[in-house]
Amino acid sequence: MPSYTVTVATGSQWFAGTDDYIYLSLVGSAGCSEKHLLDKPFYNDFERGAVDSYDVTVDEELGEIQLVRIEKRKYWLNDDWYLKYITLKTPHGDYIEFPCYRWITGDVEVVLRDGRAKLARDDQIHILKQHRRKELETRQKQYRWMEWNPGFPLSIDAKCHKDLPRDIQFDSEKGVDFVLNYSKAMENLFINRFMHMFQSSWNDFADFEKIFVKISNTISGRPDVWLPVPEWLQPCVDPALHRAAREAPGDHGDGRVQPGAAAQLGAGGPGLIFGPSAEPDLDTSLCLLQQGNIFIVDFELLDGIDANKTDPCTLQFLAAPICLLYKNLANKIVPIAIQLNQIPGDENPIFLPSDAKYDWLLAKIWVRSSDFHVHQTITHLLRTHLVSEVFGIAMYRQLPAVHPIFKLLVAHVRFTIAINTKAREQLICECGLFDKANATGGGGHVQMVQRAMKDLTYASLCFPEAIKARGMESKEDIPYYFYRDDGLLVWEAIRTFTAEVVDIYYEGDQVVEEDPELQDFVNDVYVYGMRGRKSSGFPKSVKSREQLSEYLTVVIFTASAQHAAVNFGQYDWCSWIPNAPPTMRAPPPTAKGVVTIEQIVDTLPDRGRSCWHLGAVWALSQFQENELFLGMYPEEHFIEKPVKEAMARFRKNLEAIVSVIAERNKKKQLPYYYLSPDRIPNSVAI
């Protein structure tokens, strides 16, 4: 009688093993086997990290094996099991791999296909078509869309982490408990002694250094590199920063349009922009605009956003500043004029470097505080976390596990839905941790996302296009913009990799256009993620291999490189409280010559909020335990040699980028390493 050798691999994560009964049956083109109990006498089967082999003898020849059925039945109490893969050795000596890489919970039957990636058109056998359809029907019941707040991208229908499908939960929920992690961070940083000192101001700037008792770094530990120096905008990756139009306001010139209030500020003439200490080569603002040496950071998005009112004992304030910057002869971009609210007027002066020391200092602090709010809520939360969740939900709903695009993307949505669910449960919810220290807490952050959705476009997620749209593409004009330089290298490496994978499975554009599952995936993103907004520019379908490759690059780059760039530098750049105040306790100044150092200290966050802020940026800047970085695919969803070779080339390209960045950073006092591929996690998971 024919005999098969079945090898079963159990996951190595916590609680992956099981004591339940495991049965296996084989489905072949010529028949089905009986159900076989996989059990060895006097042996503890399916332990965590184990690889167990069993001999399965069948009564008759089964033909080509099409499916493997795994059935789990309770032994004493239901015991979840993480099955990595099954390998089958046939009577003819052939090996067939059946990837699983998911949790099997309760008394259930799981049906696996072999690891070869297949499009829907490749399945001509009824049983395989049926398996494909049933898998998606089951997933669409598990992964349901929900509107968390009006105007937001839709998210997963789950109130809390434990409501999620087991396959997308964290291995240990304790590891991503925001309350626990923030508290632990403050304990590790030795700042918990300040925790209950809400409403208590710091004494002076030097007093802020008391929070750096234990953990420091090359940036937060150097107060000399914060606001007073040209690098103050080095970490800025927000769309709010862009080159000003080269033409006068109202003339669109090269297509870069100034916002209304920013145009008024930028058109004020040399006397308005530059004081007596202006650099000698500056003739007029118009001349500088034409030269392309003026840049704008406009926080119009914050205009009218409600400030946090959750603590009746502390008034909190927001501003919507406009900041003009100038590229000087040393190719450094420095601030030259700041208006703290959008509408010009006598009580909204334009602050200049030539003003009194503390006037100019407080104006810069207000800009940095506004940048922090936009960075956290829009650049970070909306444009990486929420967008990546949309891609993940759509993938699970519309792409079966055998689809090559599912196999490509699944590593890049790992834990994303879980971290976002946890954030909605503890962090950004009503009375959540976000309310404790942030001026946009208490609902302001929700208003910001609702406003920013109109600017969330497909083109803005295409990295090269986004850089160009902001006028920041020229390496000659702007030589020290490492976010752009490194981002373009990583984007191109990802694009090359996705193009290779697409070419393996889609031999022509028509195959792309006629793939119903792929089109449903893309349409789900458009309809539910972008809420069907035509202005978003998100495609409803993809019609060519090139378009598909770009789309996949957007998905992977957003989840990996873009999130790394905006997340993992937060402790570096935001832990020095005056450089990124999460709240301000006094309104913006309405006149010049009245600001004192005491007023600045009383405006900055109190001791308690400073510590909550520090704990937050520290916790957010840490990698996950057992983090998987870009190019790492330990779960072998793909088994085909051409794809594995493409993965190897991808890793080689990434290693070359690591070397380029490391060599450049050797010469820099302030190294930029957030987009080095060995520091870019595969997915949004923190």
Side-chain angles (χ1 to χ4, degrees):
M1 290 187 292
S3 180
Y4 294 81
T5 300
V6 177
T7 301
V8 181
T10 297
S12 56
Q13 54 267 71
W14 287 106
F15 312 113
T18 186
D19 290 325
D20 283 355
Y21 295 111
I22 303 298
Y23 298 90
L24 176 140
S25 55
L26 304 175
V27 179
S29 57
C32 301
S33 73
E34 295 291 326
K35 186 166 66 175
H36 294 266
L37 175 65
L38 300 182
D39 182 53
K40 297 177 185 177
F42 311 109
Y43 179 76
N44 200 349
D45 305 276
F46 315 117
E47 287 292 284
R48 173 189 171 201
V51 178
D52 302 315
S53 293
Y54 305 87
D55 291 326
V56 173
T57 302
V58 299
D59 295 332
E60 55 187 2
E61 180 64 46
L62 300 178
E64 180 183 356
I65 300 300
Q66 297 168 336
L67 301 171
V68 169
R69 288 197 175 105
I70 294 291
E71 190 176 331
K72 187 170 80 69
R73 294 293 175 229
K74 180 171 65 177
Y75 169 68
W76 181 249
L77 297 173
N78 273 321
D79 192 8
D80 295 350
W81 180 39
Y82 188 87
L83 173 60
K84 291 173 65 178
Y85 62 82
I86 288 176
T87 301
L88 195 66
K89 182 182 179 183
T90 71
H92 306 291
D94 299 323
Y95 287 86
I96 309 174
E97 297 179 47
F98 294 83
C100 181
Y101 298 106
R102 62 184 199 250
W103 287 94
I104 301 177
T105 61
D107 289 353
V108 294
E109 179 184 83
V110 173
V111 182
L112 303 178
R113 290 187 56 167
D114 75 78
R116 293 172 296 174
K118 299 287 186 182
L119 301 177
R121 71 168 196 161
D122 299 326
D123 285 341
Q124 301 300 319
I125 302 171
H126 173 72
I127 193 172
L128 299 181
K129 290 181 178 180
Q130 185 182 47
H131 174 265
R132 200 176 191 112
R133 187 184 70 253
K134 283 187 175 181
E135 180 183 9
L136 290 181
E137 288 174 354
T138 300
R139 291 240 211 96
Q140 286 165 11
K141 293 175 182 177
Q142 293 177 315
Y143 296 83
R144 302 175 305 277
W145 294 104
M146 175 193 74
E147 183 180 66
W148 186 65
N149 260 304
F152 273 52
L154 294 195
S155 53
I156 194 73
D157 185 6
K159 291 183 179 178
C160 57
H161 181 266
K162 66 181 180 181
D163 292 342
L164 294 172
R166 183 69 180 90
D167 286 330
I168 60 171
Q169 291 182 22
F170 282 103
D171 296 333
S172 170
E173 185 178 0
K174 183 180 178 182
V176 288
D177 186 293
F178 284 106
V179 176
L180 180 64
N181 286 353
Y182 284 19
S183 301
K184 192 184 300 180
M186 288 182 281
E187 182 179 344
N188 290 341
L189 292 166
F190 289 172
I191 56 174
N192 44 346
R193 66 189 186 283
F194 298 121
M195 269 305 300
H196 304 294
M197 301 176 72
F198 281 80
Q199 288 84 50
S200 172
S201 296
W202 300 92
N203 296 321
D204 50 35
F205 280 123
D207 208 19
F208 281 101
E209 295 184 34
K210 292 180 180 178
I211 60 179
F212 295 111
V213 175
K214 184 175 180 182
I215 299 175
S216 186
N217 54 56
T218 57
I219 298 169
S220 65
R222 290 179 52 194
D224 61 301
V225 302
W226 65 294
L227 291 168
V229 303
E231 287 87 350
W232 76 300
L233 270 172
Q234 169 62 35
C236 183
V237 297
D238 295 326
L241 173 65
H242 62 277
R243 190 194 296 266
R246 294 177 187 265
E247 305 296 328
D251 185 345
H252 293 176
D254 62 354
R256 299 182 187 124
V257 182
Q258 291 173 284
Q264 297 175 37
L265 176 60
L272 182 61
I273 295 184
F274 304 110
S277 62
E279 298 190 26
D281 62 309
L282 306 183
D283 296 321
T284 65
S285 59
L286 182 58
C287 177
L288 291 171
L289 285 170
Q290 292 170 341
Q291 292 172 357
N293 289 334
I294 296 294
F295 298 81
I296 294 176
V297 185
D298 187 357
F299 296 99
E300 184 182 13
L301 179 78
L302 290 168
D303 191 28
I305 295 294
D306 294 332
N308 193 338
K309 296 180 178 66
T310 58
D311 181 359
C313 298
T314 301
L315 294 177
Q316 300 181 62
F317 297 89
L318 293 166
I322 307 161
C323 177
L324 286 190
L325 302 104
Y326 163 65
K327 189 191 74 172
N328 63 21
L329 294 178
N331 284 319
K332 299 289 186 180
I333 297 176
V334 295
I336 55 174
I338 295 172
Q339 181 176 288
L340 293 180
N341 282 299
Q342 293 286 305
I343 301 175
D346 293 340
E347 294 188 348
N348 187 21
I350 295 174
F351 293 95
L352 308 170
S354 56
D355 289 337
K357 174 183 177 181
Y358 294 129
D359 284 357
W360 181 236
L361 181 59
L362 182 56
K364 289 191 290 182
I365 290 174
W366 269 106
V367 171
R368 291 296 295 134
S369 180
S370 300
D371 182 68
F372 176 78
H373 294 308
V374 172
H375 180 93
Q376 283 286 35
T377 305
I378 307 307
T379 311
H380 183 202
L381 173 63
L382 173 60
R383 298 178 70 88
T384 63
H385 276 260
L386 299 186
V387 168
S388 291
E389 180 176 7
V390 166
F391 290 136
I393 298 171
M395 182 202 75
Y396 280 111
R397 285 174 54 83
Q398 304 298 349
L399 299 176
V402 73
H403 198 287
I405 304 306
F406 178 93
K407 291 172 179 281
L408 176 65
L409 296 183
V410 66
H412 300 289
V413 298
R414 177 177 179 258
F415 297 147
T416 299
I417 300 173
I419 193 68
N420 287 1
T421 302
K422 202 69 182 171
R424 286 187 287 269
E425 185 182 348
Q426 292 184 324
L427 187 61
I428 58 175
C429 56
E430 188 175 353
C431 302
L433 293 177
F434 200 81
D435 291 355
K436 287 186 176 293
N438 292 277
T440 51
H445 59 302
V446 173
Q447 296 171 4
M448 289 175 67
V449 171
Q450 290 167 335
R451 284 189 185 182
M453 278 295 289
K454 66 179 175 56
D455 297 318
L456 178 58
T457 64
Y458 181 74
S460 71
L461 297 180
C462 293
F463 190 76
E465 290 184 42
I467 292 293
K468 189 173 182 179
R470 292 164 56 194
M472 307 292 285
E473 72 274 19
S474 174
K475 294 185 179 182
E476 292 182 1
D477 287 351
I478 313 168
Y480 303 120
Y481 196 31
F482 304 132
Y483 164 68
R484 171 204 60 207
D485 300 342
D486 300 350
L488 289 172
L489 291 175
V490 175
W491 171 276
E492 183 58 28
I494 296 172
R495 192 204 61 77
T496 300
F497 172 53
T498 59
E500 289 186 33
V501 174
V502 166
D503 287 349
I504 290 170
Y505 294 101
Y506 295 90
E507 57 263 35
D509 293 343
Q510 186 176 350
V511 183
V512 171
E513 196 168 1
E514 294 177 354
D515 181 351
E517 293 163 342
L518 172 65
Q519 302 303 335
D520 287 344
F521 162 64
V522 172
N523 189 60
D524 242 29
V525 171
Y526 172 75
V527 171
Y528 298 105
M530 298 306 114
R531 311 302 297 268
R533 287 186 303 109
K534 290 183 180 180
S535 60
S536 72
F538 269 75
K540 299 179 184 179
S541 61
V542 287
K543 301 183 182 300
S544 68
R545 293 192 295 181
E546 183 178 359
Q547 190 181 5
L548 174 56
S549 174
E550 180 186 73
Y551 195 93
L552 298 174
T553 303
V554 167
V555 176
I556 296 173
F557 186 90
T558 300
S560 58
Q562 181 64 13
H563 180 255
V566 303
N567 182 69
F568 292 104
Q570 291 189 85
Y571 182 74
D572 286 352
W573 292 99
C574 301
S575 54
W576 180 249
I577 303 299
N579 200 39
T583 189
M584 300 287 265
R585 294 180 295 148
T590 57
K592 294 188 180 186
V594 297
V595 178
T596 65
I597 186 62
E598 291 78 16
Q599 181 182 341
I600 293 177
V601 172
D602 286 341
T603 299
L604 288 166
D606 56 44
R607 294 170 187 255
R609 287 180 175 83
S610 296
C611 293
W612 269 111
H613 169 78
L614 190 63
V617 297
W618 166 256
L620 290 171
S621 299
Q622 306 309 301
F623 294 123
Q624 286 280 352
E625 186 178 356
N626 301 320
E627 190 73 80
L628 298 178
F629 294 96
L630 191 59
M632 296 171 61
Y633 297 99
E635 294 184 353
E636 296 192 40
H637 292 274
F638 284 111
I639 67 168
E640 296 95 326
K641 185 178 178 181
V643 187
K644 291 188 175 184
E645 290 174 345
M647 287 178 172
R649 287 190 292 272
F650 182 39
R651 284 189 290 270
K652 188 175 180 180
N653 288 342
L654 295 175
E655 289 167 5
I657 296 171
V658 170
S659 299
V660 169
I661 294 173
E663 186 62 30
R664 179 201 65 210
N665 284 340
K666 287 179 182 178
K667 307 168 187 175
K668 301 297 177 185
Q669 284 187 320
L670 285 177
Y672 184 87
Y673 46 78
Y674 308 113
L675 281 171
S676 182
D678 59 344
R679 292 172 176 259
I680 299 176
N682 259 335
S683 62
V684 177
I686 188 66

